[in-house]
Amino acid sequence: MRDPQAADRRPGSRRRTGPAERTRRLHVRCSSALARAAGRAEDDGERARRLAAAEDHARSAGLPRRAAELRALSLRRKAVSAARGQTELTRGLRSLRAGEVINAREGLRLAAALYRHADRPDDELTALLYAAEASWTAGDGPGYAAAAVRIGGHGAAPEAVRDYFRGFAAALRCDHARSVPALREAVRRGAADDGGHPAVPVLACRAALMLGEVSQARDLAGRALARSAGPQGTAPELLGLLALVELVADNHARAGAHAEPGLGAALAGGRHNTAAQLSGTLAMAAAVRGDAAACRDHARRALGTAHAHGLMVPALLATWSLGWLDLAQQRPRAAVELLRPLVLGQSGVHHFAWRVRVIPSFVEAVALAVAGLPAPARKRACRQARLILRTLEEWAEVSGDRRARAMVLHCRAVLAATAAPAAADPCFGRALALVERVGSEFAQARTKLAFGMALRRLRRPGDARAHLRGAMLLFEACGAEVWAERARDEMRAAGQAEPGGRPRPAASLTPQQLRVARHVAEGRTNREVAALLAVSHRTVDHHLRNVFAALGIRSRVELVHALTAHQP
């Protein structure tokens, strides 16, 4: 029987093949063409796809040896991609910590692409997370949104990580119906996580901050710090995160206490970009306590590194701190000029997420700056401030963030006091009621100060002095001495030369405040009172400060006298 293949090999012979043989030869030609095309491909991903397709065609053609060769070539290519990915990841991390953050972002994106081509999903996720962090630090909203979409659908990412990025991506699209539930789920999963992916508590902490759950954010940041490897590991970044949590919570002294060791560790480890953020945080803390020299020194250091390396978060914090300093030192017009670009995103210093937190400072600066302007100019400025305030109002409404809601009410009150002073009372009343429930002494003191100033302008000095004295005592308790001095100045302007005087009666105290006050007057510490009343010591601290403000006293000795006078 003649061999049909041998006949096909004869010169000039006509090939007579069936459908199966024609299909086999088609697979052979496709495999060869794809292998040649893979050699010409410049993109690693396209090269890997072509080699895989060439291998499939060779196998279908019945050429197992050729398929094995293509498979080996593909594996060698993947190994090369993985090695290049590791190189780019190392280079990107070096830039992220101490170099230009845009270069870091591009290198980390390339590392993620190389790991994807090498079928290394866990390493790809690591590179994507660092690339997202680079976009965040650079204030690159579109880049962060793109990373959020990628990570939100990544199979190797833990559920809490996917929830966070899905929620944040939805928030950037203003799709709050999707963003808030996803962020809440990220917080829930992060709180339940025990020893999982190191990114989980960090991202869950950020989600909690977005939702205004400061206590939960503090716990998550503390948990992440406890897992860290110490100053040579991720401790400087995590101390920076914990400091930012306290900054958002208006606990500026605690923020500084976390930032100080973090700054030392960051500088010792050569992490200059992290050091810039920590310097910005320290500038904010110094601005609140009124230490102008320290504020400007930290801000200068933060801005120097930020401008050199393209860091938007440190630049925003440093600029915000200088605006706060102007506001505290009664230079509201200068504060407006510094803060307006931050909230509008119209300058080299901007951030797609942090700008919302600057809005209350900007609105307050506008309200103070326009007080002496003609009515038309005052109305225009207040109208712009209200338009900017809407961003914060919308988020506070959908997220349920009580802190944001309290700041919205505070801003509405100070704008009302500027536009229609006689109608400001109910606005300030609502703002004070909510800010007292939130528990931020500094925010409460600011609202009392603004209310007292408005009452003084309405020629109601008696009412004004009560709020101004409460503001002074709360500012002193927070260590915000420059703000306390402002309250003293306003008290003198309202007709009280010295903030001393006899304590007011204790009849206005709430039952819980009275219980706390009596236990403290008996000589117990705040922690002992907390144990007796089955509450946290922070709750006792909060009640005690409100007691001092309500009674117009400044020490536990005065508290004893005030309660003695209250006895029937």
Side-chain angles (χ1 to χ4, degrees), residues 536-558:
S536 71
H537 75 275
R538 290 194 182 94
T539 300
V540 173
D541 292 344
H542 171 66
H543 283 312
L544 191 57
R545 286 173 182 172
N546 286 338
V547 166
F548 279 23
L551 299 182
I553 59 177
R554 303 175 64 179
S555 70
R556 295 179 179 237
V557 174
E558 290 182 81

Side-chain angles (χ1 to χ4, degrees), residues 359-361 363-364 389 392 406-416:
I359 288 174
S361 308
V363 171
E364 188 169 339
L389 184 59
L392 183 60
M407 284 296 96
V408 166
L409 292 176
H410 172 89
C411 291
R412 287 178 182 172
V414 296
L415 289 174

Side-chain angles (χ1 to χ4, degrees), residues 26-271:
L26 181 60
H27 280 303
V28 171
R29 288 196 294 272
C30 288
S31 178
S32 299
L34 285 165
R36 290 193 298 273
R40 295 192 298 270
E42 295 182 359
D43 178 73
D44 287 340
E46 186 60 28
R47 183 183 299 113
R49 286 189 289 274
R50 290 175 182 178
L51 283 174
E55 178 189 349
D56 291 340
H57 282 292
R59 207 174 298 283
S60 298
L63 301 173
R65 182 177 296 177
R66 177 60 177 164
E69 291 172 352
L70 291 167
R71 176 66 173 166
L73 179 60
S74 177
L75 290 175
R76 286 197 297 274
R77 294 286 188 184
K78 288 182 178 180
V80 170
S81 291
R84 286 185 58 201
Q86 183 59 47
T87 300
E88 293 298 335
L89 178 63
T90 302
R91 184 180 296 126
L93 283 176
R94 190 180 302 120
S95 293
L96 181 60
R97 291 167 178 167
E100 293 189 22
V101 73
I102 297 300
N103 293 342
R105 181 193 64 190
E106 296 307 311
L108 292 164
R109 285 176 176 174
L110 176 57
L114 290 165
Y115 279 131
R116 182 171 66 255
H117 304 151
D119 289 335
R120 300 272 289 272
D122 290 338
D123 292 328
E124 179 195 0
L125 175 63
T126 298
L128 284 172
L129 288 169
Y130 281 123
E133 190 63 26
S135 293
W136 176 275
T137 307
D140 174 19
Y144 197 76
V149 171
R150 290 280 304 280
I151 300 171
H154 200 284
E159 285 292 342
V161 172
R162 291 205 293 268
D163 286 331
Y164 167 79
F165 281 105
R166 287 169 183 162
F168 206 103
L172 291 175
R173 299 192 304 269
C174 295
D175 184 0
H176 301 315
R178 294 179 184 272
S179 66
V180 172
L183 291 170
R184 292 197 184 285
E185 189 64 12
V187 174
R188 186 191 68 79
R189 292 181 189 276
D193 180 76
D194 186 17
H197 196 284
V200 168
V202 173
L203 297 176
C205 171
R206 285 187 178 175
L209 277 183
M210 286 184 68
L211 297 169
E213 299 174 3
V214 175
S215 180
Q216 186 78 278
R218 184 184 292 113
D219 291 342
L220 288 163
R223 184 183 304 179
L225 183 62
R227 292 184 189 176
S228 70
Q232 300 305 316
T234 57
E237 288 79 10
L238 294 174
L239 283 169
L241 176 64
L242 193 53
L244 289 178
V245 171
E246 299 297 354
L247 204 63
V248 171
D250 290 327
N251 294 324
H252 304 94
R254 289 182 189 172
H258 292 308
E260 282 284 0
L263 178 60
L267 291 173
R271 302 187 180 198

Side-chain angles (χ1 to χ4, degrees), residues 282-283 285-298 325 329 481-482:
L282 287 168
V288 168
R289 69 175 181 265
D291 189 343
C295 174
R296 293 193 178 99
D297 184 55
H298 286 301
L325 191 62
Q329 296 179 341
E481 183 53 39
V482 67

